[in-house]
Amino acid sequence: MNTALSWIKAYVPELECTDQEYCDAMTLSGTKVEGYERLDKNLEKIVVGQIEKIEKHPDADKLIVCQVNIGAESIQIVTGAPNVKEGDKVPVVLDGGKVAGGHDGGPLPEEGISIKAGKLRGVPSNGMMCSIEELGTTREMYPEAPEYGIYIFGEDAEVGSDAVEALGLKDTVFEYEITSNRVDCYSVLGIAREAAATFRKPFHAPEVTVQENGEKVEDYISVEVQDADLCPRYTARVCTNIKIAPSPKWMQRRLAASGIRPINNLVDITNYVMEEYGQPMHAYDLDRIAGHKIIVRRAKDGDEFQTLDGQVRKLDSEVLMICDAEKEIGIAGIMGGENSKITDDVKTVLVEAATFNGTNIRKSAKRIGLRTDASGKFEKGLDPHNAEAAINRACQLIQELGCGEVVGGIADVCQSMKEPVKIKFDAKKVNDLLGTDISEEEMLGIFRMIELKYDKGTQMLEIPSFRQDLLGAADIAEEVARFYGYDKISVSLPNGEATTGKLSFKLRIEQKARDIAEYCGFSQGMCYSFESPKVFDKLLIPEGDALRRAITIANPLGEDFSIMRTVSLNGMLTSLATNYNRRNKEVRLYELGNIYKTDELPLKELPDERVQFTLGMYGEGDFYTMKGVVEEFFDCIGMRKKAVYDPASGKPFLHSGRQANIVYEGKTVGYLGEIHPEVCDNYDIGTKVYVAVLDMPEIIPFATFDRKYEGIAKYPAVSRDISMVVPKDILAGQIEAVIAQRGGKILEGYQLFDIYEGAQIKKGFKSMAYSITFRAKDRTLEESDITAAMKKILNGLEGLGIELRQ
C-alpha cells in the first residue's frame, strides 16, 4: 500500500512532521512503514518560466535560442526541443540547480544531474528547460506531457513560482506493510485515521452528499443476486449525460503518487475511490447491458470469457460472474469484460460497488491466472457497509467534476448485516495485561480517536464495522498499547503462575511417574500411537470386545499403521520382545502415552485421549515387584489409602491366576499381572513378563502434593504377631481390611511376614502371619488396651472363617 503524504494531510490537515518523524511514529503505532521516497528528490532551483522570444541558433540548425522570463529577470537558454513556442510556460532549471535524470527515461542517477551555465555552440545558455522525464517522472503519470520535448504548463501557472510545487512533486510517497487483518488500512482513509490517532490530530472524513437529478434508478436497472453466499452485498447507481474528459490535476497527481496512471475522468474517479475508501469499483456502459438487468451468478464449467485486457479466460462453476440478461459482462471482483467496456461514446454508466466472498475471489484469481488491484483488496474480506459509502462518494465526484448527472436512488441487494461487535472494557484488566498504569480516561481518549463508541452504563465498547480485527479484550488492550506508545511501556515480568515456571498439576503427576519408574530401574520408551488391527488377535482380545472399537486412520502408511491404539500393551511387548531376542537378560521399560477410545464409529466427535502409565519387565522380579512399584508411585503422589487388588479383572492377555484390577476408593485405576503364556509366544518372548497399566485421568483426581507432617512419637509402640489358618479363597486384602477397621485409633500399622501352604496345613487352607503394631499419641498403652483391640480384630477374622494357629 502506497500513499502520498499530501493525500493523508487532506484528511488530517493539522499534521506537521518530517518524513522521518512520520515514518518512525507510524511504525511504532503499528502501521509499519517499509520506506519512503520524495518525489522532488534531486530537483533543485527549478521555476516556472515563460518563453518571450525565440531565435534560430546562428551555428546549429537544430538548436534555438530562447529568452525566458523567470519572474525576477529574463535569462537566455539554448535548447533543441522541437515543441516550444513563444508564450509557453515551461519548467526552468537555473544555474546551479539539479534535475533527476535524462530525457531518455532511463534509470535515474542517484545524485541527479547538476546544471551549470555555459555555452552551446558558442552561444551562452544560463539554464535548462525540462522534459517530464528530467523531472524524475513519466508520461504515464503526466499524460499531458509531450512524447518528446519540454513539458508545457497550463495558462494558470505563475511565472517565477516553484515549478516542482506546480507539478505536485513537493510530496513524499510512503510504502506500508499492511497485515491482512487490517483491511481498513488498504485505503487512504484508513491510513489517515491511523495517522490522526498516532499524532493526536483531528481526522476529517470527506463530506459526501450526492446531488440527484430527480429520476429513479429503478427505471434504469434491476439487480438479482443468485449466489448470495459469494456476494453478500451488491450496490449499483446510474449516471447519465456522461462527458469523458481528463480528470482534474489534483486527482491525477494523487493517483500518480499512488502508482496509478491517469486515464480519463470516469476511470480516474473509480480508481480514486478505490484508493480512498479501499473499495474496488467498476463502471459499465449501461447501453451495452442487455435487458438493463444485472445478474450475479456462478459461471458454468467450460465457459470462456474475454476480459478487458483482451485475454480469453477459461471459467468453471466456482468463479462468480457479473451478467446481464443475455451474457457475462465481468468476472466479479477481478476484471470487467471487453463486451461492456467504457468507450468515448458512452452516454449512461452503471457504477458498481459490491462485497464478494474474499476466499472465493482469491481462489478464482488463481484459477483463471489473473490477479488485479481489485482482487487483491476483495480477497482480504471487505466491510459490506463500505460499499454504499464508496459508491456515493464516486457519484458525488462524477457530479462535482462535471462528468455526468446522478440518477436518484441506489439498487442495493444486501444480506442481513452483522450486528456491531461489542467488547467489555475494564481498564484494570488492560493495565494488568500490559503491565502499565494508564488512566481509564486516557484509554477512553484513545478509543474516541479510533472511533470506538463507549457506553458507560454497560461498560461496553461498540466497534465500527471497518475495524474487523477487533474481536476481544486482548485486541482492545493492543489498541491502548500502540497509541499510548510501546516505547513508554517499561519492561516487567508477567503476573500469574507462569512467572514461577511451575508445571501444571497434570504434568507434575506425570513427572513423578517418570521419577518413580526410573528410580525403580525402568527406562523410558516411546511407542507408536497407530498400529495394526492384528494386535487384537495377538493379545487374545475376543471379537466384540470394546477394545476392538478402534479408529481407522484415513490415510495410513500401511495396514500395520492403520488404526489408533485402544490398549498400550502392544508397543510395550514389542519393545520387550526386541530386547529379549537380542539376549538382554533383564529389561524394565515404561511409557507415558495416549490411547484413543470412542463410544461409536464412525466418529461423531473427538475421541477420548487417555494417558496410560505402562510398566513392563522381565528377568529378576515378579508380580509383587511390579505391585511394589505401583504402590511406591501412589505413595509419592499422596494416595496414602490402601489400594485394593481385585483378581477378577478378566484381562484375556494376562495370566488367569496372576492378574488383578487396581481399585482405589472404589474406582478402578488400572491393572497389573503376568502376561499370558500364549501372548508371550505370539511376541516371541520365552520368559515370564509382568506389566502394570495405570489410567492417569482416573488417578489424577486422587493425587495431591499437600503434606502433613507429625512429630516423632513420644510413647513406645507395642507389637503383636498372629498366625492364622486361612481359607484359600480369602485374600490378604480382606484380612487387612478387617485389621484396619477393627484396630481402632491405637492401630499404627500391620505387615504380612509369612505365608505357607503345605502338608502341615489342612487341605483348602493356607497359613498367614501378620505383625500388628499399636501406639497411642498421648500415653503409654496398657495391656488392657492391646487385649481389647486384638479381641476385636480376632472376632472379625473369625467371621471370615479364619482360625488362629495353635
Side-chain angles (χ1 to χ4, degrees), residues 339-350:
N339 57 9
S340 61
K341 69 178 182 181
I342 299 292
T343 64
D344 291 343
D345 299 328
V346 65
K347 299 299 180 186
T348 307
V349 298
L350 171 75

Side-chain angles (χ1 to χ4, degrees), residues 7 251-260 262 268 271-272 275:
W7 202 347
M251 181 175 285
Q252 291 188 32
R253 301 297 174 257
R254 288 180 179 177
L255 289 174
S258 297
I260 298 175
D268 291 354
N271 285 335
Y272 182 86
E275 292 299 302

Side-chain angles (χ1 to χ4, degrees), residues 57-58 64-67 75-79 116-127:
H57 192 289
I64 56 176
V65 181
C66 303
Q67 305 302 319
I75 61 173
Q76 181 172 288
I77 297 176
V78 179
T79 182
K116 301 291 184 183
K119 291 184 178 181
L120 286 178
R121 301 290 293 270
V123 177
S125 182
N126 298 312

Side-chain angles (χ1 to χ4, degrees), residues 299-327:
K300 296 181 178 65
D301 289 331
D303 281 357
E304 293 185 344
F305 181 72
Q306 187 175 18
T307 47
L308 279 171
D309 58 2
Q311 299 293 314
V312 175
R313 311 286 175 178
K314 293 185 178 180
L315 311 175
D316 59 38
S317 59
E318 294 301 314
V319 179
L320 190 66
M321 301 297 294
I322 309 299
C323 310
D324 61 19
E326 299 174 356
K327 61 188 181 299

Side-chain angles (χ1 to χ4, degrees), residues 185-196:
C185 286
Y186 285 89
S187 67
V188 177
L189 287 176
I191 298 292
R193 282 192 185 95
E194 292 289 301

Side-chain angles (χ1 to χ4, degrees), residues 486-615:
Y486 289 115
D487 55 329
K488 297 180 184 177
I489 300 176
S490 58
V491 177
S492 62
L493 288 172
N495 294 322
E497 189 175 284
T499 305
T500 66
K502 288 171 59 178
L503 295 173
S504 68
F505 184 75
K506 172 180 175 291
L507 293 180
R508 290 172 69 193
I509 297 297
E510 291 179 6
Q511 186 58 52
K512 284 296 181 185
R514 294 185 185 93
D515 292 344
I516 293 301
E518 289 165 14
Y519 170 76
C520 294
F522 288 76
S523 298
Q524 185 170 13
M526 296 183 69
C527 304
Y528 288 116
S529 293
F530 34 90
E531 54 194 18
S532 169
K534 298 174 183 176
V535 166
F536 303 126
D537 293 333
K538 292 177 73 175
L539 292 173
L540 308 182
I541 295 173
E543 293 292 337
D545 193 288
L547 292 177
R548 285 183 176 265
R549 193 186 301 121
I551 301 161
T552 302
I553 299 170
N555 55 342
L557 297 174
E559 185 184 5
D560 288 346
F561 304 96
S562 61
I563 62 169
M564 303 302 291
R565 65 180 179 178
T566 59
V567 61
S568 61
L569 287 183
N570 176 64
M572 178 60 67
L573 293 176
T574 301
S575 298
L576 291 174
T578 301
N579 281 275
Y580 178 79
N581 288 296
R582 291 181 182 175
R583 290 177 170 70
N584 290 325
K585 294 182 179 180
E586 183 178 348
V587 175
R588 295 186 177 193
L589 297 176
Y590 79 91
E591 181 198 13
L592 278 165
N594 285 348
I595 61 170
Y596 304 84
K597 291 189 172 182
T598 181
D599 292 331
E600 58 180 336
L601 292 173
L603 283 176
K604 293 184 179 177
E605 56 185 20
L606 292 175
D608 182 15
E609 300 184 31
R610 305 184 70 83
V611 178
Q612 305 289 287
F613 179 25
T614 306
L615 299 146

Side-chain angles (χ1 to χ4, degrees), residues 447-460:
F447 298 150
R448 284 191 290 271
M449 286 191 303
I450 57 177
E451 301 182 34
L452 274 59
K453 298 178 182 177
Y454 179 61
D455 186 330
K456 191 173 182 179
T458 60
Q459 294 185 315
M460 299 294 286

